[in-house]
Amino acid sequence: MSSSAAIEVKDLKKSYRNGLFGRPFAALKGVSFRVDRGEIFGLLGPNGAGKTTLIKTVLGIIRRNGGDATLLGKPAGDRESRLRVGYLPENLRLASHHTALTALEYYGRLSGLSGSDIKSQRWRLLESVGLLGRERESIKKFSKGMLQRLGLAQALLHDPELLILDEPTDGLDPVGRSHVRSVLHRLKDEGKTIFLNSHILQEVELVCDRVAIMDRGELRALGSVAEIAPQQAEGVEVELLVAGERDAVARAMGDRTLTDWQSRGRDHKLVLQLMDQGAIDRCVDDLRKQQISVVQLNPRRLTLEDAFLKLLASPAADGDTPVATPATATARTSGPTATVAAEEAVDAVEVVEDVEVIDET
């Protein structure tokens, strides 16, 4: 395991039991990847994929059954490395008597910060997450999006090296999501590493340098969006806007399979799958031979969402290797030991020897 990685897992395994005598449930099935320092790294997967289990295992909140995991060059769970991590859990649980100011003071104290350090940071952080002016209100009045913003502020309070963010834009409106994206890009520019777990694929595509896709405890893909999407493409989807007689268009298309054909008089919108640029050129040539005018041609890029859904639609066989994976995938994460400590306390019942737990990811 490399000491230069922000996060590294190798053949990581984790199983739970449903009750004392239930059959084991494998939440992680030999997951391996590396997150280098200084990038934004996204972890994707449907509910039940094992994402939250992986995060809690790396943080040392729950114990692994097999494999290795390191955090900032230290074994998973090491207290020294967790001091350098900022953690935003999926559901941040705060006592309802807090305001934004007292919540930050509470988490700052848990992180070992002095009162003067907390006071010097909290106003800047509240402004950066868009809560300035609401800092003295009871958090009972906060929406889910406002609580997420407060959670991001507490994760940044002790200036961590690595941020681990579990669904950071959940509950935010489009303006709020855009604001969080700006914060994440700024943090990356400052040299932070960010490990991002999200269901919102468009957000991941906009901010992440690399992504990993998990399903049912297995790693299905690893690489940049540009590397993963083409692996799942079967040719190029092309949208054509043409003008001419319908019969002539049909002759030009021949035996090509169209996924959509809409007509209004002599104007036609065609959507079809073609294998490569040569196939596109031949299609245009056939249209011109029939005296059809090509008004517009739009090749459609496969999005991360397309690749994600395609991967999940084709179950991996045992022993399959992830697609599109360069040697390393980079990212860094930061977060307070305070939040980890609070999560440990809240999760104590759910991880006692892993007896009653079923992964909720």
Side-chain angles (χ1 to χ4, degrees):
M1 307 286 278
S2 172
S3 61
S4 65
I7 296 173
E8 189 169 9
V9 297
K10 186 174 182 180
D11 198 28
L12 193 63
K13 298 181 176 72
K14 177 64 185 175
S15 297
Y16 297 109
R17 287 186 182 275
N18 186 11
L20 285 172
F21 305 106
R23 296 181 62 183
F25 166 74
L28 298 175
K29 304 173 184 176
V31 175
S32 300
F33 65 86
R34 168 192 169 106
V35 174
D36 287 332
R37 303 180 189 233
E39 280 197 89
I40 304 178
F41 186 88
L43 182 63
L44 298 172
N47 290 333
K51 304 186 301 298
T52 296
T53 292
L54 188 146
I55 289 174
K56 289 185 176 181
T57 303
V58 168
L59 288 171
I61 296 174
I62 58 177
R63 291 192 292 265
R64 63 187 181 273
N65 298 121
D68 292 305
T70 61
L71 182 67
L72 297 171
K74 302 286 186 179
D78 178 81
R79 296 273 176 179
E80 180 184 339
S81 64
R82 295 201 313 192
L83 283 167
R84 297 148 60 195
V85 173
Y87 176 44
L88 173 61
E90 182 177 4
N91 296 299
L92 181 64
R93 305 167 198 177
L94 290 167
S96 60
H97 65 270
H98 278 300
T99 65
L101 287 175
T102 62
L104 289 181
E105 183 165 354
Y106 169 72
Y107 278 104
R109 293 290 188 181
L110 284 175
S111 295
L113 298 179
S114 66
S116 60
D117 286 339
I118 296 169
K119 288 178 181 178
S120 69
Q121 294 291 330
R122 62 186 183 182
W123 293 105
R124 176 183 63 82
L125 289 173
L126 288 170
E127 181 178 16
S128 71
V129 299
L131 286 179
L132 202 59
R134 311 293 296 271
E135 67 276 356
R136 299 186 189 280
E137 292 183 22
S138 169
I139 64 169
K140 288 188 291 187
K141 300 179 181 179
F142 279 16
S143 65
K144 176 68 184 296
M146 293 172 69
L147 289 173
Q148 288 296 97
R149 291 167 184 254
L150 180 57
L152 182 58
Q154 65 79 26
L156 293 167
L157 188 58
H158 64 301
D159 192 27
E161 295 176 37
L162 173 65
L163 277 164
I164 296 181
L165 308 177
D166 199 351
E167 301 291 351
T169 58
D170 187 29
L172 296 179
D173 60 22
V175 174
R177 289 177 184 171
S178 176
H179 186 81
V180 168
R181 286 198 300 271
S182 298
V183 172
L184 296 182
H185 285 304
R186 176 175 56 79
L187 292 170
K188 181 190 172 182
D189 291 341
E190 293 173 2
K192 309 290 187 187
T193 304
I194 301 164
F195 186 94
L196 176 68
N197 170 27
S198 179
H199 288 90
I200 305 173
L201 277 70
Q202 295 90 339
E203 293 296 311
V204 171
E205 191 166 10
L206 286 170
V207 300
C208 291
D209 301 300
R210 299 181 187 271
V211 297
I213 297 177
M214 288 183 62
D215 184 31
R216 301 180 186 180
E218 298 178 312
L219 187 66
R220 298 294 305 277
L222 176 64
S224 68
V225 173
E227 290 164 338
I228 290 175
Q231 292 284 332
Q232 302 305 309
E234 295 177 355
V236 183
E237 187 176 79
V238 177
E239 180 182 277
L240 284 164
L241 299 180
V242 300
E245 296 297 329
R246 183 181 178 89
D247 290 345
V249 174
R251 287 194 298 272
M253 290 297 97
D255 58 0
R256 296 180 177 94
T257 301
L258 277 69
T259 57
D260 190 23
W261 184 340
Q262 299 177 26
S263 298
R264 179 174 295 178
R266 290 173 53 84
D267 297 327
H268 311 276
K269 174 184 173 182
L270 314 174
V271 180
L272 64 162
Q273 198 81 8
L274 297 171
M275 289 306 298
D276 51 29
Q277 184 62 47
I280 295 174
D281 293 341
R282 289 190 293 274
C283 181
V284 172
D285 289 343
D286 290 343
L287 286 165
R288 295 302 299 134
K289 288 175 184 177
Q290 297 294 329
Q291 305 301 309
I292 304 297
S293 298
V294 179
V295 179
Q296 193 171 347
L297 187 153
N298 299 314
R300 181 176 175 270
R301 182 179 68 88
L302 192 72
T303 66
L304 181 60
E305 182 174 5
D306 296 328
F308 177 81
L309 294 174
K310 194 171 183 64
L311 269 172
L312 298 190
S314 55
D318 291 342
D320 276 2
T321 54
V323 301
T325 137
T328 61
T330 61
R332 251 177 68 186
T333 334
S334 0
T337 299
T339 311
V340 175
E343 282 288 296
E344 284 179 319
V346 172
D347 293 331
V349 175
E350 104 183 25
V351 277
V352 175
E353 296 302 324
D354 304 327
V355 170
E356 294 288 344
V357 185
I358 293 290
D359 181 31
E360 62 191 16
T361 312

